[in-house]
């Protein structure tokens, strides 16, 4: 009900919450009708939904969470539309990164989005989308983006994307980033976090054991 009748901000959160609930049911092998209803609602919300582009961005994010391959073509259209809201395009890109391994057109679209260099917000979303998608050429693309970053905010997001990528070839650049005293303590700390993401194979970080008796 909140997805259909609530204020715009509530509808966006409700869409993501529905996707999480449906994904839980999907993982458990239960409630197939729920999955079907949520999938249809999210697709309609992105394609024909009432409201602003930020609401549609929430629908795009929710489609990525639920892993709806039927949405890939629609998300590709959004990512490729240079006149669309950058936030909407960025969320669509990340959704494609989450499930785009199924479609050969996704990688070129995300690389083209990163190459546009049209605003930091869109660039960091494209970087994370590529990290989620993975692939042998992504590390070099992200390192190039890191070297060309124009602000600490920009660098921080690319560093986290490198950590999320899981390519051990990024260890040395991240070590250099984390020990570069020209960066702030927070920036260097994020470099350490990225190294943890990159080198720790466990979902629950191993370093947490140090906090336990």
């Amino acid at each position: 009900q909140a997805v259909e009748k609530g204020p715009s901000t509530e509808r966006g959160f409700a869409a993501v919450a529905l996707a999480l609930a449906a994904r839980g049911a999907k993982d458990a092998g239960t409630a197939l009708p729920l999955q079907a209803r949520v999938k249809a609602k999210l697709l309609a919300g992105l394609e024909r939904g009432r409201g602003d582009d930020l609401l549609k961005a929430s629908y795009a994010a929710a489609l990525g969470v639920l892993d709806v391959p039927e949405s890939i073509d629609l998300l590709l259209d959004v990512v490729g539309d240079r006149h669309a809201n950058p936030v909407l395009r960025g969320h669509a890109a990340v959704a494609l990164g989450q499930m785009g391994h199924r479609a050969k057109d996704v990688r070129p679209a995300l690389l083209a989005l990163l190459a546009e260099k049209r605003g930091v917000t869109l660039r960091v979303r494209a970087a994370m989308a590529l990290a989620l998608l993975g692939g042998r050429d992504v590390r070099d693309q992200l390192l190039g983006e890191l070297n060309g970053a124009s602000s600490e905010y920009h660098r921080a997001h690319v560093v986290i994307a490198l950590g999320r990528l899981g390519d051990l070839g990024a260890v040395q650049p991240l070590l250099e980033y984390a020990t570069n005293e020209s960066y702030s303590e927070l920036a260097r700390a994020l470099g350490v976090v990225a190294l943890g993401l990159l080198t720790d194979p466990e979902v629950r970080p191993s370093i947490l054991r140090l906090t336990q008796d």
Side-chain angles (χ1 to χ4, degrees), residues 18-173:
L18 271 177
L20 288 168
R23 187 179 72 178
K26 179 180 178 181
D27 292 343
T30 61
L32 290 176
L34 171 63
Q35 298 168 38
R37 289 199 303 272
V38 173
K39 183 192 300 184
K41 192 173 294 294
L42 295 178
L43 285 167
L46 180 59
E47 188 171 15
R48 309 186 301 273
R50 62 189 177 89
D52 57 26
D53 285 340
L54 297 183
L55 175 59
K56 290 185 178 181
S58 295
Y59 284 117
L63 286 163
V65 167
L66 186 54
D67 192 7
V68 180
E70 299 93 324
S71 68
I72 288 177
D73 287 343
L74 181 58
L75 292 166
L76 282 169
D77 288 342
V78 173
V79 167
D81 183 0
R82 293 194 174 208
H83 300 292
N85 184 301
V87 175
L88 173 56
R89 294 181 78 198
H91 279 64
V94 172
L96 286 170
Q98 290 174 289
M99 57 184 174
H101 57 280
R102 294 187 178 89
K104 63 181 181 180
D105 294 335
V106 170
R107 183 182 304 278
L110 295 180
L111 288 171
L113 184 64
L114 185 66
E116 283 184 23
K117 301 189 181 301
R118 297 180 65 190
V120 172
T121 298
L122 191 55
R123 290 170 71 174
V124 299
R125 295 292 183 272
M128 180 55 73
L130 284 165
L132 291 168
L133 185 64
R136 61 183 181 180
D137 57 333
V138 171
R139 182 191 68 204
D140 291 341
Q141 295 291 332
L142 295 185
L143 289 174
E145 185 69 14
L146 178 61
N147 290 333
S150 57
S151 66
E152 186 170 291
Y153 170 88
H154 190 173
R155 285 192 295 270
H157 279 78
V158 179
V159 161
I160 294 300
L162 280 164
R164 181 63 181 79
L165 177 61
D167 186 331
L168 293 178
V171 168
Q172 187 59 37

